[in-house]
Amino acid sequence: MQLPNKTLSFAFFSLLIIGASFLAGTYVGYENRAAILKVSGLINKETPVTSDEMVVDFSPFWETWNAVNEKYVPATNSTTSPGEVTAQDKVWGAIQGLVGSLNDPYSVFLPPADSEVFEENIQGNFGGVGMEIGMRDNTLTVIAPIKDTPAARAGIEAGDQILKIGDEVTADISLEEAVRLIRGEIGTEVTLTILREGRKGSFEVAVKRAVITIPTIDTELRKDGIFVIQLYNFSGQSPRVFRESLREFVLSGSNKLILDLRGNPGGFLEAAVDISSWFLPAGKVIVTEDFGPGKEDLDIIYRSRGYDVFNDNLKMIILVDKGSASASEIVAGALAEHEIADLVGSQTFGKGSVQELIKITADTSLKLTVAHWRTPKGTLISKDGIVPMYVVEMTDEDREKKKDPQLNKAVDLLLSR
């Protein structure tokens, strides 16, 4: 699963390294409080912690901490002894509980082991099955399988709900834990229990793990004169290869363009802005990063850089589906609302939140939702995704017969103009 830097949208997330501590306000100088590791050194916080906005009573936390340390004995069927859970482990668990109280599937505290896996996942090439996953209605859901990967070859589809990973039920599981379970030694298999809309009952899919290399783009000049650009992600190299693809389009002599963003889970915001700028005059709003009520002064408006090389003769369709997320939704929303392109396909995923990766300690991190994306007309992408002007669904029967009614609709529209 690819994660971004500050300019990432995402299914992907932006990375900002800032300082923070869960226990800030509870006591000062955490690094100097070695006594926290000793039950006898714990200090109950009898007086509330105050700030300009709230009064927080931490005494229940300390009462629970002391009770656990003084009285806890593992259940008779437990294989864990009290000594195996350190005081530091309990602190990590407390922070995870704090972040979990937000009920936000994209905000999570990463203790050392999970943080290490997370860092591995943002390096580009990794061992896994090749699919982007997210949370929809608190259910682990496939955003999109990646082209030419084990997941795609095994028949995994965008929108599939993952009920189990091996023997592990995914209810209440975090994205990071799901990634950890899906990843494994290259060449081994992981069995996923899938629930798919339109199909009765759940079923199992065995997928063999492999080194995953994420593709970027494909182009095609069709016999009917329509030029198709299929963009698979918004990586750091996407602006360059997209520019080269546009050059191919111009040299082809065609004025009819299909940009296929189906199954594209997103990537760098920088790439989305750059790609949108080829079609919009300078200064036109592409997307707004909305930091929430009362923080309007922090909002960031991203505008076109004004490459704008096409005139009114351009006829353009963007294909989207439930696997189109994040940066894909930003581009589709911007070009549709500025009336550059019509959208064809099915409703997009709705991944319109922004995450920062906050370094808590040298080996722990906090991934926290800090903002939402709004389209140029102010629509929140996270709420319902984007519904195309021309809604065309793709059925299992279509896939089995290798039919593409969404592409066919886009072709018909372009040839009629």
Side-chain angles (χ1 to χ4, degrees):
M1 183 170 62
Q2 182 182 359
L3 271 280
N5 63 14
K6 168 64 179 100
T7 56
L8 267 169
S9 61
F10 130 187
F12 297 152
F13 314 94
S14 56
L15 304 179
L16 289 183
I17 306 303
I18 63 177
S21 171
F22 162 66
L23 295 177
T26 305
Y27 54 87
V28 180
Y30 169 78
E31 293 181 355
N32 295 325
R33 285 295 189 95
I36 193 70
L37 300 179
K38 301 177 182 178
V39 174
S40 60
L42 290 176
I43 301 174
N44 283 314
K45 197 71 178 180
E46 301 294 350
T47 57
V49 176
T50 62
S51 72
D52 294 336
E53 299 179 350
M54 66 184 74
V55 176
V56 181
D57 181 8
F58 273 88
S59 59
F61 173 83
W62 293 111
E63 289 289 343
T64 303
W65 177 280
N66 284 342
V68 168
N69 281 290
E70 294 170 5
K71 299 182 178 181
Y72 170 69
V73 175
T76 54
N77 61 350
S78 173
T79 59
T80 303
S81 67
E84 291 178 351
V85 180
T86 68
Q88 191 62 64
D89 291 332
K90 294 168 192 171
V91 172
W92 300 150
I95 300 175
Q96 288 174 314
L98 168 65
V99 179
S101 71
L102 302 174
N103 293 317
D104 176 7
Y106 297 106
S107 293
V108 63
F109 174 72
L110 302 169
D114 289 346
S115 186
E116 181 180 356
V117 170
F118 183 87
E119 293 291 341
E120 291 175 359
N121 288 336
I122 64 175
Q123 298 305 315
N125 293 339
F126 51 89
V129 300
M131 63 185 182
E132 186 71 24
I133 57 176
M135 288 291 183
R136 181 181 288 280
D137 299 326
N138 295 318
T139 302
L140 186 65
T141 304
V142 176
I143 299 176
I146 299 170
K147 179 188 177 184
D148 294 333
T149 63
R153 291 190 289 270
I156 300 293
E157 297 179 6
D160 283 350
Q161 296 180 335
I162 303 176
L163 305 183
K164 293 173 65 177
I165 303 170
D167 295 327
E168 188 79 19
V169 177
T170 61
D172 300 322
I173 199 172
S174 70
L175 286 174
E176 285 66 31
E177 177 65 9
V179 170
R180 186 186 68 78
L181 291 171
I182 292 172
R183 285 170 58 98
E185 185 178 349
I186 293 172
T188 61
E189 281 191 347
V190 59
T191 299
L192 307 176
T193 302
I194 300 293
L195 184 65
R196 180 174 296 165
E197 185 177 358
R199 181 165 174 172
K200 186 177 180 180
S202 62
F203 58 96
E204 293 185 349
V205 178
V207 190
K208 183 174 290 188
R209 300 178 176 100
V211 174
I212 305 301
T213 301
I214 302 174
T216 301
I217 204 165
D218 281 328
T219 61
E220 177 191 6
L221 176 61
R222 293 167 49 97
K223 293 181 180 179
D224 54 21
I226 296 174
F227 197 88
V228 180
I229 298 176
Q230 188 166 13
L231 188 65
Y232 298 106
N233 62 75
F234 288 81
S235 66
Q237 65 176 342
S238 293
R240 176 184 59 79
V241 296
F242 189 79
R243 181 176 68 248
E244 294 170 355
S245 298
L246 285 183
R247 183 174 182 274
E248 287 182 48
F249 169 54
V250 171
L251 292 176
S252 75
S254 174
N255 70 332
K256 296 178 174 61
L257 176 64
I258 293 176
L259 175 58
D260 191 346
L261 297 180
R262 293 177 296 177
N264 185 324
F268 288 96
L269 172 63
E270 177 78 9
V273 171
D274 195 273
I275 286 171
S276 299
S277 295
W278 288 104
F279 306 97
L280 295 171
K284 289 291 186 179
V285 175
I286 293 173
V287 71
T288 298
E289 193 172 6
D290 181 348
F291 288 86
K295 300 178 182 178
E296 289 79 8
D297 58 326
L298 298 177
D299 290 354
I300 301 173
I301 299 175
Y302 296 90
R303 300 180 183 274
S304 171
R305 293 160 184 165
Y307 307 151
D308 192 26
V309 296
F310 299 102
N311 56 32
D312 293 339
N313 192 41
L314 174 69
K315 311 301 179 185
M316 185 176 181
I317 298 286
I318 298 178
L319 292 174
V320 295
D321 65 5
K322 55 190 173 183
S324 306
S326 188
S328 289
E329 294 171 297
I330 289 173
V331 172
L335 298 189
E337 291 188 358
H338 286 298
E339 300 182 352
I340 302 298
D342 289 332
L343 304 186
V344 174
S346 53
Q347 184 173 340
T348 63
F349 185 82
K351 174 58 177 73
S353 59
V354 185
Q355 283 73 36
E356 292 181 4
L357 187 67
I358 303 167
K359 203 69 174 175
I360 302 301
T361 68
D363 56 357
T364 64
S365 304
L366 172 65
K367 181 160 65 68
L368 188 68
T369 299
V370 297
H372 294 90
W373 299 122
R374 287 187 181 272
T375 65
K377 293 184 178 180
T379 302
L380 274 173
I381 293 174
S382 279
K383 186 176 181 182
D384 297 309
I386 296 174
V387 179
M389 176 181 291
Y390 300 94
V391 176
V392 181
E393 298 295 343
M394 182 90 77
T395 66
D396 285 341
E397 183 179 357
D398 291 328
R399 295 184 183 90
E400 290 172 3
K401 295 183 177 180
K402 299 189 182 303
K403 293 182 178 180
D404 193 340
Q406 296 171 338
L407 177 61
N408 293 340
K409 178 64 174 179
V411 168
D412 290 343
L413 288 169
L414 288 177
L415 292 179
S416 68
R417 296 176 180 178

